[in-house]
Every structure is written in structure tokens, then in C-alpha cells.
Amino acid sequence: MNEGFEQVFREHHAMVFRAAYRVTGNTADAEDVLQSVFLRLLGRGETDTPMDNAEAYLRRAAVNGALDVIRARASWRWTPLDAAAPLASQSPAGAPERLAASAEIRGWLREAVARLSAQAAEIFALRFFEDRDNGEIAQLVGTTPATVAVTLHRSRERIEREFRAWTGEEHHG
């Protein structure tokens, strides 16, 4: 392992993990993404020379890797209720249903974001999972704040429409 790689790993591994975790909502998946991002980086030998913006590159790789995990998970129909089961027994009366519904909604949202185009999903995740502002997002993905704003607006409208359909609250007209 080269010294440049070790330095990049030390400086950015926590950020990569957090970015992946915010998208996947799962520690094991985030760890898998962390490992794959850095293995890919090491395999390419890209750390032999200094990277212009390692943080932006690694954050983008983490978000994209996490979205890939969500897409793969959706293909075998992951059930978010399973994730809530251990916590339900520790909750006050009436809370298991709320907890299960909340986990189910988070799972649905992750799958909905994964159905967006790659750029739209990345922008959405950076805004709503990473809490970045439009200027930061534009810089990270190499576009303008106006493009970010339009992409977020369209993505949010699409997800809201899909959510209304999923919950049976779809309004016609």
C-alpha cells in the first residue's frame, strides 16, 4: 500500500462512511461501500499523484456506490419492517406500528431515490441526506446552482407524486 493512499484513507474514510450510511441507512451496507470505494481507488493507482479534489471525488463515489446498493436491494425486495423488529419490543405501547411505518417509509424513499437518474439521485442525496446547499452541490457535481435547483425541484415533485400513489393518496386532476 502506498503512502498517498493511506493518507487519503485517513483523511476521508469517515466522510465516505457517513455519506454511504445516510443513503443506505444501514451500517453493514455503508461499510461495504466504504471498502469498495477505497479498493477501487487503490486498484486504479489514483493515489500515486495528488488528487485535485479528493473529498468531492470520494463523496460522489460513496453516494453512487450507496445508490447501487439500494438498487440491488430493491431488486430482491428488502423489507424495511425486518429492520425495525428488534426495536419494536423496546418501544412504548403503540410505538411499534409507528416505528415500522417510519422504517417502511425510509426504505421506500431510498428505493425511490435510486430510481432517479444517476445525477438526480446524487444531487437529491447530497441535499436531503447530506444537508448540503445548492452551491456546495453544484461544486461537488460540476454543474451550476441553477441546474441543481431545477433538478431538486423535478426530483422532489416526482418523488412526492410516487409517494402519493404508494400511499393511495394520489390526486387526479
Side-chain angles (χ1 to χ4, degrees):
M1 208 177 314
N2 66 44
E3 204 172 295
F5 176 82
E6 289 178 19
Q7 181 178 348
V8 169
F9 181 81
R10 274 192 311 275
E11 291 175 4
H12 301 289
H13 76 280
M15 177 272 302
V16 169
F17 176 83
R18 281 190 311 273
Y21 181 80
R22 286 185 183 121
V23 173
T24 65
N26 181 296
T27 302
D29 289 341
E31 288 171 349
D32 289 346
V33 170
L34 170 71
Q35 185 176 39
S36 68
V37 164
F38 281 102
L39 283 174
R40 207 169 332 141
L41 185 67
L42 183 62
R44 291 182 181 166
E46 292 181 18
T47 55
D48 294 335
T49 57
M51 297 174 73
D52 287 339
N53 191 343
E55 181 179 355
Y57 172 84
L58 292 170
R59 182 179 308 279
R60 175 177 269 189
V63 168
N64 287 334
L67 289 167
D68 288 344
V69 167
I70 298 293
R71 288 179 184 117
R73 182 189 297 156
S75 70
W76 58 268
R77 303 307 322 154
W78 173 76
T79 306
L81 295 175
D82 295 339
L87 298 174
S89 62
Q90 301 169 2
S91 302
E97 293 81 15
R98 287 192 309 274
L99 182 61
S102 176
E104 188 174 8
I105 290 168
R106 285 192 307 273
W108 178 89
L109 178 60
R110 287 184 172 92
E111 290 177 7
V113 171
R115 288 190 297 270
L116 297 172
S117 71
Q119 184 178 29
E122 181 179 9
I123 288 171
F124 190 93
L126 287 167
R127 177 66 187 98
F128 296 106
F129 299 157
E130 289 280 316
D131 200 29
R132 298 295 182 131
D133 66 37
N134 290 6
E136 289 176 295
I137 296 168
Q139 203 169 24
L140 288 168
V141 301
T143 191
T144 66
T147 298
V148 169
V150 168
T151 302
L152 285 171
H153 177 76
R154 289 179 180 160
S155 298
R156 190 169 168 178
E157 278 187 339
R158 174 181 168 177
I159 288 173
E160 286 175 355
R161 235 182 359 263
E162 288 181 15
F163 185 74
R164 285 191 304 271
W166 182 69
T167 61
E169 297 176 17
E170 189 168 20
H171 300 296
H172 302 287

